[in-house]
Amino acid sequence: MTVNTYDVTADLTPEGRAEWDLMVAGEVYQDSHPEIEHKRVEAKKLFRAYNALDYDQETERRAIMEQLFASVGDDVFIEPNFRCEMGRNISIGSHAYINFDCVMLDNAPITIGDYVWIAPMVGLFATNHALDFEERKNGACQAKPIVIEDGVWLGGHVTVLGGVTIGRGSVIGAGSVVTHDIPAGVIAVGNPAHVLRPITEADKTGFCERIAARDAAR
């Protein structure tokens, strides 16, 4: 696990830092503040550079991940066209795979565990605009953390909203919109997503046993 110790807020004025602190604390903040926008542009430059790299440029890809994210584990692969809001509020565990066209709006922390698989066109949207029009047009937003625990699989086109935790090993069916916490070890589907059933021993196909037997025979 590589932790980014660089203070991304070091160049903010007291006013800009106040808005940043409100943002990551889950309070209403001014999303349109020019210093918040500046941090957004910094992240865009990094993820655009990442997306432009070839697959064999592993060292360069890793260097950008370590610069962009708060922390990133070992054996993490992110397909293009990855996009994020701030980058610095994203923590990714080891052995994670993030497929094509993932979008993470990380105005609040987004925490992704080990062995998390994210299918194409998934959105993790921690932030939300104000419901009141006058507040909204003046830049009012509020962000809530997202936690994706170890071993979760998010199917294609899944949307996860702010304030949600998805429990260890659960599977979210394609096209689902997750608006509230999902417990560990279940399949959840729908809009809003609801628990369809637990994942049980009956879901095992014997794959691991077959591979172990094949390897033992070598």
Side-chain angles (χ1 to χ4, degrees), residues 1 3 9 30 101 105 115 123 150 164 167 174 176:
M1 173 70 71
V3 177
T9 65
Q30 185 187 4
D101 294 313
L105 304 186
Y115 291 98
D150 295 349
V164 164
S176 298

Side-chain angles (χ1 to χ4, degrees), residues 31-50:
D31 189 65
S32 58
H33 192 282
E35 294 183 68
I36 298 296
E37 177 59 26
H38 177 68
K39 292 303 169 185
R40 188 177 287 116
V41 170
E42 288 181 355
K44 286 178 181 178
K45 289 179 179 179
L46 287 170
F47 71 65
R48 287 180 65 184
Y50 179 91

Side-chain angles (χ1 to χ4, degrees), residues 109-214:
I110 294 177
T111 304
I112 296 169
D114 297 338
Y115 291 98
V116 169
W117 292 352
I118 296 179
M121 299 183 181
V122 165
L124 307 181
F125 303 149
T127 195
N128 196 23
H129 294 285
L131 295 179
D132 179 82
F133 170 57
E134 292 299 323
E135 292 188 345
R136 185 166 65 249
K137 77 176 186 179
N138 283 288
C141 282
Q142 188 172 18
K144 299 294 183 182
I146 292 172
V147 178
I148 311 296
E149 294 185 352
D150 295 349
V152 167
W153 173 24
L154 304 179
H157 293 266
V158 162
T159 298
V160 181
L161 301 185
V164 164
T165 294
I166 300 177
R168 187 179 189 275
S170 285
V171 175
I172 310 298
S176 298
V177 179
V178 188
T179 62
H180 59 270
D181 291 353
I182 301 296
V186 301
I187 299 171
V189 299
N191 181 7
H194 63 278
V195 175
L196 182 65
R197 65 174 178 85
I199 299 169
T200 70
E201 290 292 315
D203 291 303
K204 291 185 175 180
T205 66
F207 173 81
C208 291
E209 292 77 7
R210 179 176 68 82
I211 297 300
R214 183 193 67 187

Side-chain angles (χ1 to χ4, degrees), residues 28-89:
V28 177
Y29 69 98
Q30 185 187 4
D31 189 65
S32 58
H33 192 282
E35 294 183 68
I36 298 296
E37 177 59 26
H38 177 68
K39 292 303 169 185
R40 188 177 287 116
V41 170
E42 288 181 355
K44 286 178 181 178
K45 289 179 179 179
L46 287 170
F47 71 65
R48 287 180 65 184
Y50 179 91
N51 291 329
L53 292 171
D54 288 332
Y55 283 96
D56 60 355
Q57 294 180 276
E58 296 179 6
T59 301
E60 294 87 345
R61 291 164 70 94
R62 177 70 190 191
I64 292 177
M65 282 194 283
E66 291 181 1
Q67 185 177 356
L68 179 61
F69 301 133
S71 62
V72 58
D74 300 325
D75 186 31
V76 172
F77 195 89
I78 304 174
E79 300 279 8
N81 236 354
F82 174 80
R83 287 154 289 177
C84 63
E85 190 87 5
M86 302 296 169
R88 183 50 59 88
N89 297 322

